[in-house]
Amino acid sequence: MNQFDLFGNPVSSKVVVATQTGAVSIKNGEYIFIPGFFNQQESDFYLKILKEKVLWKQESMNMYGKKVEFPRLVAWYGDDETPYSFSGISLHPNPWMKELLEIKYRIEPIANSSFNRLLLNFYRSGRDSVSWHSDAEPELGKNPIIASVSFGATRKFQLRHVQTREKIEIHLTHGSLLIMQGELQHYWQHQVPKTDKKVGERINLTFRAMNSLPGG
């Protein structure tokens, strides 16, 4: 039996595992997925150097009157001192490392965009995660392009349409590049769910172009 949301749209609980690579058009959005964009040697190098050199922080947030640690480590890099605020915290950017610039310059021609900010997440095990959200802050402008690079263990990356609730699952592999574009951030949320399976460390880099607005 079909279920419907408050707007009369059909609701789907089915998860579709994506197998198509390259440019993919979906309802209200587009993405480009290139597994192996960085080769094995490059990916191994970047995983090691970023784990050692990035200025990782363990952030926390207040939830129901308690201080709760984020289930991952984070870091913020960028062109200037504009902070990035989410979940009640503000990250102040560090200056670019040369390895981060190398990665940025490699992916910008594919994304057809110039990026000035970078959020990094370090998933230490399968218990580290990020919950449903979208990257649609006003500072990102209309139809933002978000470029995501992954090094390390393969993790499930899920997209969920905000109206139909349909889900798409992409397996982000070592050295893969995922570019989200078009209306996607306005109509889809995404997450990296926890898993009880034994998985290794993973570092994810999400590049974005942000306007330097007050309170950014």
Side-chain angles (χ1 to χ4, degrees), residues 88-105:
I89 67 166
S90 290
L91 298 177
H92 293 270
N94 301 299
W96 292 103
M97 294 164 35
K98 70 178 184 68
E99 291 84 3
L100 297 178
L101 289 175
E102 290 170 0
I103 298 169
K104 185 172 90 80
Y105 296 149

Side-chain angles (χ1 to χ4, degrees), residues 5-7 9-11 27-28 132-134 159-167 183-190:
D5 64 16
L6 295 175
F7 303 96
N9 299 306
V11 175
K27 180 182 177 66
N28 303 122
W132 289 114
H133 70 285
S134 59
L159 291 161
R160 181 178 68 183
H161 197 279
V162 296
Q163 294 176 350
T164 68
R165 313 305 277 182
E166 62 187 290
K167 294 179 183 177
E183 297 179 313
L184 191 145
Q185 297 300 326
H186 303 298
Y187 287 92
W188 295 80
Q189 295 178 318
H190 53 273

Side-chain angles (χ1 to χ4, degrees), residues 85 105 108 133 138 199-200:
S85 299
Y105 296 149
E108 284 180 332
H133 70 285
V199 297

Side-chain angles (χ1 to χ4, degrees), residues 31-93:
Y31 68 82
I32 300 171
F33 181 51
I34 308 176
F37 182 80
F38 293 90
N39 65 35
Q40 182 75 39
Q41 184 177 3
E42 292 171 329
S43 299
D44 290 347
F45 168 77
Y46 284 126
L47 177 64
K48 181 177 185 297
I49 205 73
L50 296 180
K51 178 182 176 181
E52 294 173 352
K53 292 181 63 177
V54 167
L55 300 175
W56 299 107
K57 295 182 67 178
Q58 174 63 74
E59 295 287 353
S60 61
M61 59 182 172
N62 291 319
M63 185 177 292
Y64 305 114
K66 294 182 179 180
K67 189 175 182 180
V68 179
E69 290 187 341
F70 276 32
R72 62 194 181 280
L73 303 181
V74 298
W76 182 241
Y77 285 75
D79 287 357
D80 57 32
E81 297 182 356
T82 302
Y84 178 51
S85 299
F86 66 99
S87 298
I89 67 166
S90 290
L91 298 177
H92 293 270

Side-chain angles (χ1 to χ4, degrees), residues 120-173:
L120 297 99
N121 290 294
F122 182 16
Y123 300 84
R124 296 156 293 186
S125 72
R127 302 309 298 161
D128 278 357
S129 64
V130 62
S131 58
W132 289 114
H133 70 285
S134 59
D135 297 322
E137 294 87 350
E139 298 90 334
L140 293 171
K142 183 180 179 180
N143 296 340
I145 298 173
I146 307 294
S148 172
V149 176
S150 297
F151 298 119
T154 298
R155 293 292 296 268
K156 294 178 180 179
F157 177 87
Q158 295 178 333
L159 291 161
R160 181 178 68 183
H161 197 279
V162 296
Q163 294 176 350
T164 68
R165 313 305 277 182
E166 62 187 290
K167 294 179 183 177
I168 299 172
E169 184 172 282
I170 304 171
H171 293 180
L172 299 183
T173 53

